Amino acid sequence: GAVVSQHPSWVICKSGTSVKIECRSLDFQATTMFWYRQFPKQSLMLMATSNEGSKATYEQGVEKDKFLINHASLTLSTLTVTSAHPEDSSFYICSARSGLAGGPATYNEQFFGPGTRLTVL
Amino acid sequence: AQSVTQPDIHITVSEGASLELRCNYSYGATPYLFWYVQSPGQGLQLLLKYFSGDTLVQGIKGFEAEFKRSQSSFNLRKPSVHWSDAAEYFCAVSPMWGNTPLVFGKGTRLSVIA
């Protein structure tokens, strides 16, 4: 099946540093990847939609200069949290959408990574 | 715009009892429907999905869900709950085509007591 990995699975950093999170589709090409943020005991909040080779589309209220998203290839998207602060501590989850090659039944299905726990001290 | 409502924030059931988690959606056409489960500190695991065809969908771990167009519902059921089923459950909807992301409900937390 379609597998999405995230690295690292957890990270602790000091306030003011930047952290990069990688999202990879391991066995399929993902033209679109999504980045979500999840606070404790809450649902997933969409941060941005990332299309390969173009700029990410950010949801309202998400600072694009703080959360840099790069989707340089069909299997890799990265989220960089710049100048992280304690309020950025959260669980970040990516998902990847399979391409047309998957057939109509799976064309629009999203496959989720295992998430990255970010703690900013 | 699409929306998903999970009316129950928290449900507690006894081990061995049956379970039904409710999900209602709002969408102009027939969407793709999903149920995910999330254990604490973990990512999302797909339980089942509905694209078309038989409205009763079987999933993993003994779960099933029934799509009812007339009620705009996609309720998740399990005949006998196990303690390991305690987790957060999310219903999600997506259009059949296009590049829009999944829309999630707020989730239902399931607790299982002995």
Side-chain angles (χ1 to χ4, degrees), chain A residues 25-38:
Chain A
S25 56
L26 299 184
D27 50 4
F28 67 99
Q29 292 185 330
T31 54
T32 304
M33 290 184 172
F34 303 94
W35 286 95
Y36 295 84
R37 182 174 182 176
Q38 186 180 32

Side-chain angles (χ1 to χ4, degrees), chain B residues 48-64:
Chain B
L48 47 77
K49 59 193 176 188
Y50 172 78
F51 288 155
S52 64
D54 193 346
T55 56
L56 185 62
V57 180
Q58 301 298 320
I60 62 172
K61 302 185 178 185
F63 285 92
E64 66 177 25

Side-chain angles (χ1 to χ4, degrees), chain A residues 32 38 43 97 105 108-110, chain B residues 38 49 51 95 98 100 102 105:
Chain A
T32 304
Q38 186 180 32
S43 188
R97 171 164 285 157
N108 218 34
E109 187 170 351
Q110 286 179 230
Chain B
Q38 185 181 36
K49 59 193 176 188
F51 288 155
T100 55
L102 288 174

Side-chain angles (χ1 to χ4, degrees), chain B residues 33-98:
Chain B
L33 295 159
F34 305 81
W35 274 102
Y36 290 88
V37 62
Q38 185 181 36
S39 297
Q42 302 295 313
L44 297 177
Q45 181 180 24
L46 179 66
L47 285 175
L48 47 77
K49 59 193 176 188
Y50 172 78
F51 288 155
S52 64
D54 193 346
T55 56
L56 185 62
V57 180
Q58 301 298 320
I60 62 172
K61 302 185 178 185
F63 285 92
E64 66 177 25
E66 186 171 13
F67 169 60
K68 292 186 177 180
R69 184 191 306 272
S70 62
Q71 298 177 20
S72 297
S73 69
F74 189 56
N75 294 347
L76 182 71
R77 300 193 294 249
K78 185 170 185 177
S80 178
V81 170
H82 188 262
W83 64 267
S84 60
D85 293 324
E88 190 85 21
Y89 291 80
F90 295 99
C91 181
V93 62
S94 170
M96 287 191 173
W97 298 93

Side-chain angles (χ1 to χ4, degrees), chain A residues 30-83:
Chain A
T31 54
T32 304
M33 290 184 172
F34 303 94
W35 286 95
Y36 295 84
R37 182 174 182 176
Q38 186 180 32
F39 292 104
K41 300 186 185 301
Q42 294 190 26
S43 188
L44 282 74
M45 181 191 78
L46 180 67
M47 298 176 66
T49 300
S50 168
N51 291 297
E52 185 266 337
S54 62
K55 291 184 178 180
T57 302
Y58 290 82
E59 295 299 299
Q60 192 173 10
V62 177
E63 300 176 60
K64 60 181 180 181
D65 294 330
K66 181 167 188 62
F67 298 100
L68 300 178
I69 292 173
N70 182 274
H71 193 163
S73 77
L74 286 172
T75 60
L76 174 64
S77 176
T78 60
L79 167 68
T80 301
V81 183
T82 62
S83 186

